[in-house]
Amino acid sequence: MAAKLIDGKALAQQVRDRLARESAELFAQKSIKPGLATILVGDDPASHVYVRNKQKACELAGIYVDDHKLPASTTQVELLTLIEQKNADPKIHGILVQLPLPKHIDSKVILEAVSPLKDADGFHPYNFGRLVEGHPVFEACTPKGVIKMIESAGVTIEGKRAVVLGRSNIVGKPLALMLLQKNATVTICHSKTKDLPAVCREADVLLVAIGKAKFVTADMVREGAVVIDVGTNKTPEGKLCGDVDFDAVSQKAGWISPVPGGVGPMTIAMLLENTVESAMRSVGLR
Ligand code: NAP
């Protein structure tokens, strides 16, 4: 393998260790513990695993978890009532509503009901708007983690040509805005982009979030580029794999992140970081 590995798992561990120290200091100084409310509606097995992993990570970082597992029959009004309670609860500094929600619940209404001051996932339109303005408060966890991964490799984003594959509201768009904020020249690609391989080859930094296994092949990557793979897909054998053909692309890229062990652990670490920062803001420390 020619490329150097950007190890999201190791970086996430460092972040969690730092957050554990900050949480302990916060408790020593102000007698408060950062608190995250986790809200999960329904029986989706993958969602249960995600929430359990986030809760375990919280506990290791000294974050109090307020767990709410609700039946799939929960109404939108019941869910809104719970969110209002958590918005008003001083022990809670972050609220995570695990997606997807059951079809009878409007996710947009629910995410907008979370107080922008407790929006640890960074999905509220207020926080998205702050990012657009260039004055972010809570930043969406996955793109925030991606930026930290690039910077951890010692790569300067300023002045680089960045190409983002995917334009979702939770990954592609906020990631493009964060790169712009860091003074990259940014191109956003999507399913209607013409001659995608040629656009990708222009990238000094290629960020891939489309949800198609091994979609990015070596011929789409410039020699020495930084390649960050956000995708999480299952192979026919049931193994986790990214959107990038890792074996081939790692022979050509300068830096590459793996799946698993790349963006996934950093997404969780950023949820914890947002919660701890929110707790600090609540007592005027940030
Ligand atoms: P999404 O909402 O499904 O968006 C996918 C994007 O990819 C869309 O903008 C779509 O374009 C674009 N796209 C699809 N096929 C394409 C193609 N052939 N050429 C160019 N663009 C194409 O997905 P998402 O929520 O952003 O997630 C993307 C991937 O990241 C998924 O695998 C997801 O599981 C993973 N993910 C991982 C984490 C993590 O923590 N590791 C977090 C979030 C997401 P259009 O807009 O034109 O349809």
Side-chain angles (χ1 to χ4, degrees), residues 142 166-168 170-171 190-191 209-212 215 230-232 264 267:
T142 300
R167 58 174 165 182
S168 71
I170 61 167
V171 187
H190 45 78
S191 65
I210 59 174
K212 292 205 156 62
F215 181 86
V230 181
T232 48
T267 296

Side-chain angles (χ1 to χ4, degrees), residues 133-256:
E133 279 185 336
H135 300 105
V137 184
F138 283 105
E139 292 178 294
C141 301
T142 300
K144 186 181 184 189
V146 168
I147 298 289
K148 297 221 173 190
M149 288 169 75
I150 300 169
E151 292 181 333
S152 78
V155 174
T156 309
I157 295 174
E158 181 162 320
K160 294 281 187 319
R161 182 75 194 261
V163 174
V164 181
L165 258 66
R167 58 174 165 182
S168 71
N169 287 335
I170 61 167
V171 187
K173 279 185 208 159
L175 179 55
L177 289 163
M178 288 177 203
L179 290 160
L180 187 63
Q181 176 80 6
K182 298 264 176 192
N183 296 321
T185 301
V186 185
T187 303
I188 307 175
C189 299
H190 45 78
S191 65
K192 306 289 185 288
T193 298
K194 295 252 174 13
D195 200 359
L196 189 69
V199 181
C200 291
R201 279 193 294 272
E202 289 173 8
D204 302 312
V205 186
L206 181 62
L207 309 115
V208 192
I210 59 174
K212 292 205 156 62
K214 299 188 182 185
F215 181 86
V216 171
T217 48
D219 64 306
M220 296 167 75
V221 175
R222 175 192 279 194
E223 195 84 41
V226 179
V227 180
I228 305 286
D229 189 352
V230 181
T232 48
N233 311 285
K234 282 272 166 75
T235 64
E237 300 78 43
K239 282 172 93 182
L240 194 62
C241 84
D243 289 348
V244 174
D245 181 355
F246 183 88
D247 290 342
V249 171
S250 60
Q251 298 304 319
K252 201 165 174 194
W255 291 92
I256 191 165

Side-chain angles (χ1 to χ4, degrees), residues 39-45 47-48 68-79 98 100-106:
I39 302 176
L40 173 54
V41 186
D43 315 313
D44 177 43
S47 293
H48 277 264
H68 296 269
K69 290 197 181 70
L70 309 176
S73 57
T74 302
T75 66
Q76 181 158 309
V77 171
E78 286 167 337
L79 186 53
Q98 184 64 41
L101 290 166
K103 289 204 168 26
H104 64 275
I105 297 178
D106 185 338

Side-chain angles (χ1 to χ4, degrees), residues 9-142:
K9 197 172 165 196
L11 186 60
Q13 179 67 53
Q14 287 173 23
V15 173
R16 283 199 304 272
D17 291 347
R18 170 177 54 81
L19 293 173
R21 288 193 299 275
E22 289 180 2
S23 298
E25 258 170 53
L26 187 62
F27 192 75
Q29 277 182 32
K30 300 280 181 183
S31 304
I32 64 158
K33 207 173 175 183
L36 179 72
T38 61
I39 302 176
L40 173 54
V41 186
D43 315 313
D44 177 43
S47 293
H48 277 264
V49 173
Y50 295 147
V51 170
R52 206 162 44 243
N53 288 341
K54 290 169 187 174
Q55 291 175 334
K56 266 195 238 158
C58 279
E59 280 151 17
L60 292 173
I63 296 171
Y64 155 69
V65 174
D66 179 27
D67 179 38
H68 296 269
K69 290 197 181 70
L70 309 176
S73 57
T74 302
T75 66
Q76 181 158 309
V77 171
E78 286 167 337
L79 186 53
L80 286 170
T81 303
L82 176 62
I83 290 171
E84 271 166 34
Q85 284 167 10
K86 299 300 143 193
N87 283 344
D89 184 344
K91 290 194 302 301
I92 298 301
H93 307 98
I95 299 172
L96 162 80
V97 182
Q98 184 64 41
L99 300 176
L101 290 166
K103 289 204 168 26
H104 64 275
I105 297 178
D106 185 338
S107 303
K108 200 167 169 326
V109 171
I110 297 301
L111 296 180
E112 287 187 25
V114 171
S115 163
L117 302 175
K118 298 190 177 184
D119 176 33
D121 256 334
F123 291 163
H124 194 284
Y126 171 82
N127 284 312
F128 196 67
R130 291 286 301 230
L131 177 63
V132 174
E133 279 185 336
H135 300 105
V137 184
F138 283 105
E139 292 178 294
C141 301
T142 300

